[in-house]
Amino acid sequence: MKPIKRIGIIGNGAVGMLMASLFEPDYTVTLYGRVDEVTTVTIERIGVTQGTAHVSLCPVTTLVESEQDVFFVTTKAHQVEAATERLSGDVPVFICSNGIAHLDYARKRGFHLGVVEHGVSRDGDRLQHTGLGRIRIGSLGSLEEMAFNASPLDVVWETDIEQVVTEKLFANAIINPITALCRVENGAVASPPCRDIADVVYAELSTLFDRHVPYTYIETIIEKTARNRSSMLRDIEAGRRTEVDAILTPLLKRADERGITLTVIPVLQKLILGASVSC
């Protein structure tokens, strides 16, 4: 595989901007978003990492696949298909959105998967990097392993990316709805009463998947992102559409297919939908 020199990041939200700012010292980075014209964005980063980066921001409608060596898709799950319609898969594409709703789409299009474990929030072009983690990437097909320069992003190649995506789904399905409904930071999920709800959700999740996900993984994510306000909480506070249909709704379908009766997860799903409507 040819050396990576140019990186395209689709989605100029908090995660996309964090990746752009930390890749920028070593690569030519282009951000693609819902903007009207090409511009240069100055990203200021504070928190567990600090720095300033200047990155090109282009309308996603101007994206030319051959101009990049690899793409990372960091949009909300319900935006993935529209964001990637100009991509053929000839250049590696890693979808880093939450949930499992995009797995079949990724397989169909010949795309690959990524999981972001960093904690980050955004205020305009200013980022608060609240927790260090990894960017875990892997292939659903036969893509050759890809390596990136060392940086605080800590990009690692996973041979079983579906296990990694399942682990992140567990964390999202536990942390996101609880923090959104209780209006608390992620760290609150480590202690009662939020921990009591988390235990029940974890038990229900474990009945839906053949793969084992240790609760210690969820605890690690909670610890690393303790000061973060989850994406679902921030979406509800901002009156935006949440990712409930990518995170919780597929679990209800999976339970139905397996003939499993869930108690708590369906209630959380309905409460998130209700909270979204009331925004």
Side-chain angles (χ1 to χ4, degrees):
M1 182 172 289
K2 66 179 182 180
I4 302 167
K5 297 180 179 180
R6 305 165 300 174
I7 296 177
I9 299 175
I10 303 176
N12 60 322
V15 171
M17 292 180 71
L18 177 69
M19 293 178 67
S21 69
L22 289 172
F23 272 137
E24 186 269 340
D26 298 313
Y27 302 94
T28 299
V29 180
T30 304
L31 265 173
Y32 298 93
R34 291 182 293 178
V35 293
D36 296 327
E37 58 185 5
V38 177
T39 186
T40 298
V41 60
T42 299
I43 304 171
E44 180 186 359
R45 195 180 64 255
I46 61 173
V48 293
T49 64
Q50 300 181 12
T52 301
H54 305 282
V55 178
S56 294
L57 175 60
C58 302
V60 71
T61 53
T62 66
L63 183 153
V64 177
E65 186 175 36
S66 60
E67 292 181 352
Q68 306 298 336
D69 298 319
V70 63
F71 287 93
F72 291 93
V73 182
T74 65
T75 65
K76 297 290 187 182
H78 60 269
Q79 299 169 329
V80 166
E81 293 193 25
T84 57
E85 64 183 0
R86 299 175 66 90
L87 301 175
S88 69
D90 288 344
V91 174
V93 177
F94 293 93
I95 301 177
C96 301
S97 302
N98 287 329
I100 58 172
H102 60 278
L103 259 63
D104 289 341
Y105 175 74
R107 285 193 184 93
K108 178 181 177 181
R109 295 292 310 277
F111 297 159
H112 313 283
L113 302 177
V115 166
V116 179
E117 295 179 341
H118 292 263
V120 60
S121 60
R122 173 190 172 195
D123 181 10
D125 295 336
R126 191 180 200 215
L127 302 179
Q128 179 78 34
H129 194 180
T130 54
L132 280 173
R134 296 169 292 179
I135 307 291
R136 304 169 73 182
I137 61 174
S139 176
L140 292 171
S142 57
L143 181 68
E144 182 182 340
E145 179 177 341
M146 300 183 70
F148 294 82
N149 293 343
S151 83
L153 284 176
D154 193 13
V155 183
V156 297
W157 183 268
E158 299 284 353
T159 56
D160 187 358
I161 192 63
E162 286 197 61
Q163 173 67 23
V164 176
V165 169
T166 303
E167 291 172 353
K168 185 63 183 300
L169 173 66
F170 269 58
N172 283 332
I174 290 170
I175 296 170
N176 273 271
I178 293 174
T179 55
L181 293 170
C182 296
R183 304 296 177 101
V184 293
E185 294 180 342
N186 291 1
V189 182
S191 304
C194 293
R195 173 61 190 259
D196 300 330
I197 303 170
D199 287 341
V200 178
V201 176
Y202 174 74
E204 292 193 352
L205 286 167
S206 297
T207 67
L208 299 178
F209 294 87
D210 299 326
R211 295 170 179 267
H212 173 65
V213 176
Y215 195 84
T216 51
Y217 173 79
I218 288 91
E219 290 177 322
T220 299
I221 296 298
I222 292 170
E223 180 181 355
K224 287 182 176 180
T225 64
R227 293 177 52 207
N228 220 36
R229 300 177 72 78
S230 72
S231 58
M232 194 169 283
L233 170 57
R234 286 183 275 115
D235 285 341
I236 286 179
E237 290 177 330
R240 295 188 298 258
R241 179 179 175 181
T242 73
E243 291 184 292
V244 65
D245 286 335
I247 297 173
L248 295 183
T249 304
L251 300 175
L252 306 186
K253 180 181 178 182
R254 193 178 187 91
D256 185 60
E257 292 171 346
R258 293 192 167 205
I260 296 172
T261 300
L262 302 177
T263 302
V264 176
I265 293 175
V267 174
L268 293 179
Q269 188 244 16
K270 288 181 175 61
L271 288 173
I272 293 296
L273 289 172
S276 301
V277 169
S278 64
C279 290

